[in-house]
């Protein structure tokens, strides 16, 4: 018997969890048909194809992520922080589907002291599923999220475009042209991290990638690792090195762990991304 | 009578100056055939096509810029700072051409306290032609150069990839997708500059471009101006706001002037780029 169907529907893929009565994950499935480019009828088809046999038409379905974005199935406006599981559940948008009643969760918004805004959509389920009531949670990625939790609520967060900047610099910039394929180079990575931490910023150091190669100080095979170190070190310097819980892709999380240790932080907890997403979907679903 | 032919040969274009006996510019010409992609015989053809009628075969020719790079006409290795006009002249690489004897000037290298390197190639002529014996000279551009002069020598410099980052973010990133065409928006530019100056860094603010648009705080027509402000403000914050001489494209220089004023700097001098390049080529040519 299925107590809840939870769907984490991002831009590039969709992950589905079938929960039992006490929140245990009975089954999980994934589809490569992410929200980017799907039309509303296509969302409905993908949902049906993926999980129709999990429901008798009465099982509640919770949808999170870009499925609720402006170009998603239906737009669920951003909910301002602070946000608890029950606040997200209360703001969820009801939706009739071929599989019965579903809800689309809103994303979250916040505003910094200088007035600048920030938004997330989908990451809130992982953050609320991290098992923390208070502390800093970092989700490294294309758009890394640094979120602060207090009393089980997400109180504020900030985004660094580290992964996207890395891809832009690697594939479209003059720096990327200098790079050769090479295995991950720990030494070059650590040098990049340390320099960016010392400078408090990666930007004034980016061009050193080119200069170091031209002067023979950096092998072309180590350009990717050095650049990754500069950007991750700069992200940590920009937001402040603090004890943190890291959630996400294990290879990327390992780089952030190394960089945080270079910044003098040893209190680091690592949580699997799939596990956190499923825990968060269940916690929100329970409040519906 | 031509006393010297000076050529500023960058990646994307070539500018030629014919100097009289006291260093006055008698004539100037330009070619769109920049150093990027030219083979050595093509460099010689372009030079001949552009300035053959300026020389009787005995006029000295000074070539500066990417013409001396690794993929230029012939490589002139980087000269470490500090660098004076006479040091550049002494390190120039002699070259026999169809128009007689020429020299290719080296670029400059420097090394920061943290060990990271920096290089320039071509900008040194503008810096030495700024008419300063001491002070900070900023050349805004694809790769902005911040150089310190002491006793008529370039003692150290640093590069910010501001123009290249702007182009990457505008044309290849998620932020650029949000932008609509629009006139320069002074208010959005100033907001970007101020926020980056306050944060000491543009990176943690980049994503605010997207969030501010999604929440209705930034019109899509103002995205370009805001992003430009963030990057220029971040460049100034990264290198430190100080009284400066600005050299370059008038439209871009005007943005840097505005940003420096927002950073509280009013001692700003502006010099035309063509004028500075010709003065620098003459100063170095005189030492040959």
């Amino acid at each position: 018997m299925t107590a809840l169907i939870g769907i984490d529907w991002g831009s590039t893929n969709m992950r589905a969890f079938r929960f039992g009565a006490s929140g245990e994950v009975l089954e999980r499935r994934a589809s490569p048909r992410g929200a980017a480019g799907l039309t509303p009828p296509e969302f409905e088809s993908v949902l049906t194809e993926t999980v129709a046999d999990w429901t008798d038409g009465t099982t509640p379905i919770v949808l999170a992520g870009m499925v609720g974005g402006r170009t998603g199935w239906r737009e669920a406006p951003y909910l301002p922080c602070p946000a608890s599981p029950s606040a997200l559940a209360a703001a969820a948008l009801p939706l009739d589907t071929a599989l019965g009643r579903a809800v689309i969760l809103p994303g979250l918004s916040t505003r910094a002291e200088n007035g600048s805004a920030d938004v997330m959509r989908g990451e809130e389920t992982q953050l609320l599923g991290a098992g923390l009531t208070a502390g800093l949670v970092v989700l490294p990625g294309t758009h890394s999220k640094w979120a602060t939790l207090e009393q089980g609520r997400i109180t504020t967060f900030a985004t660094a475009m580290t992964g996207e900047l890395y891809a832009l610099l690697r594939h479209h910039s003059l720096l990327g042209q200098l790079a050769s394929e090479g295995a991950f180079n720990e030494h070059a990575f650590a040098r990049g991290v340390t320099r960016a931490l010392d400078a408090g910023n990666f930007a004034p150091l980016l061009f050193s990638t080119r200069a170091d190669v031209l002067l023979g100080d950096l092998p072309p095979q180590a350009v990717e690792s050095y650049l990754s170190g500069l950007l991750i070190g700069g992200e940590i310097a920009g937001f402040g090195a603090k004890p943190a819980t890291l959630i996400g892709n294990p290879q990327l999380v390992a780089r952030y762990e190394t960089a945080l240790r270079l910044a003098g932080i040893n209190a680091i907890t690592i949580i699997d991304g799939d596990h956190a997403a499923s825990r968060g979907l269940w916690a929100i679903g329970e409040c519906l």
Side-chain angles (χ1 to χ4, degrees), chain A:
Chain A
M1 191 240 148
T2 308
L4 178 76
I5 296 171
I7 311 274
D8 177 14
W9 208 327
S11 297
T12 57
N13 66 354
M14 179 257 226
R15 295 180 295 176
F17 303 94
R18 180 161 82 88
F19 294 99
S22 32
E24 72 278 22
V25 175
L26 301 174
E27 202 173 342
R28 62 188 72 209
R29 290 180 187 164
S31 162
R33 302 198 63 191
L38 291 186
T39 61
E42 290 172 324
F43 277 103
E44 188 147 26
S45 306
V46 174
L47 181 69
T48 304
E49 286 160 23
T50 312
V51 301
D53 60 316
W54 284 357
T55 173
D56 59 6
T58 66
T59 310
I61 301 172
V62 176
L63 302 160
M66 294 308 288
V67 62
R70 202 162 284 182
T71 57
W73 191 342
R74 190 170 305 167
E75 186 176 3
Y78 292 102
L79 178 70
C81 281
S84 60
S86 60
L88 276 157
L93 201 72
L95 183 73
D96 285 321
T97 78
L99 301 186
R101 184 173 166 272
V103 296
I104 299 185
L105 298 181
L108 298 184
S109 65
T110 189
R111 203 170 284 279
E113 280 177 27
N114 69 359
S116 70
D118 213 326
V119 291
M120 67 167 66
R121 197 177 275 286
E123 293 92 344
E124 64 286 346
T125 57
Q126 292 190 317
L127 294 169
L128 293 172
L132 253 78
T133 51
L136 170 67
V137 184
V138 178
L139 275 60
T142 306
H143 298 152
S144 295
K145 301 292 179 187
W146 287 55
T148 303
L149 274 76
E150 292 171 32
Q151 302 179 310
R153 305 178 310 164
I154 301 166
T155 50
T156 184
F157 63 88
T159 304
M161 294 180 58
T162 306
E164 184 168 356
L165 280 173
Y166 176 81
L168 290 175
L169 290 165
R170 175 64 190 87
H171 299 296
H172 298 285
S173 83
L174 197 70
L175 303 182
Q177 290 173 20
L178 297 167
S180 308
E181 293 286 319
F184 179 65
N185 183 318
E186 279 182 52
H187 177 71
F189 176 76
R191 180 157 60 162
V193 170
T194 308
R195 285 182 177 174
L197 287 171
D198 289 348
N201 190 347
F202 68 80
L205 289 160
L206 277 182
F207 198 73
S208 70
T209 313
R210 176 172 166 80
D212 282 352
V213 170
L214 289 174
L215 298 184
D217 292 347
L218 183 70
Q221 296 79 6
V223 162
E224 293 183 339
S225 300
Y226 178 66
L227 200 52
S228 172
L230 283 182
L231 291 172
I232 293 174
E235 178 181 336
I236 291 170
F239 289 145
K242 284 185 283 286
T245 297
L246 300 173
I247 303 179
N249 164 307
Q251 207 180 349
L252 188 59
V253 160
R255 292 195 187 187
Y256 277 72
E257 185 186 5
T258 300
L260 279 168
R261 290 195 195 283
L262 287 168
I265 303 299
N266 290 305
I268 301 167
T269 308
I270 293 173
I271 297 181
D272 174 70
D274 239 41
H275 178 76
S278 67
R279 296 322 305 148
L281 284 164
W282 175 256
I284 298 163
E286 271 198 308
C287 302
L288 285 173

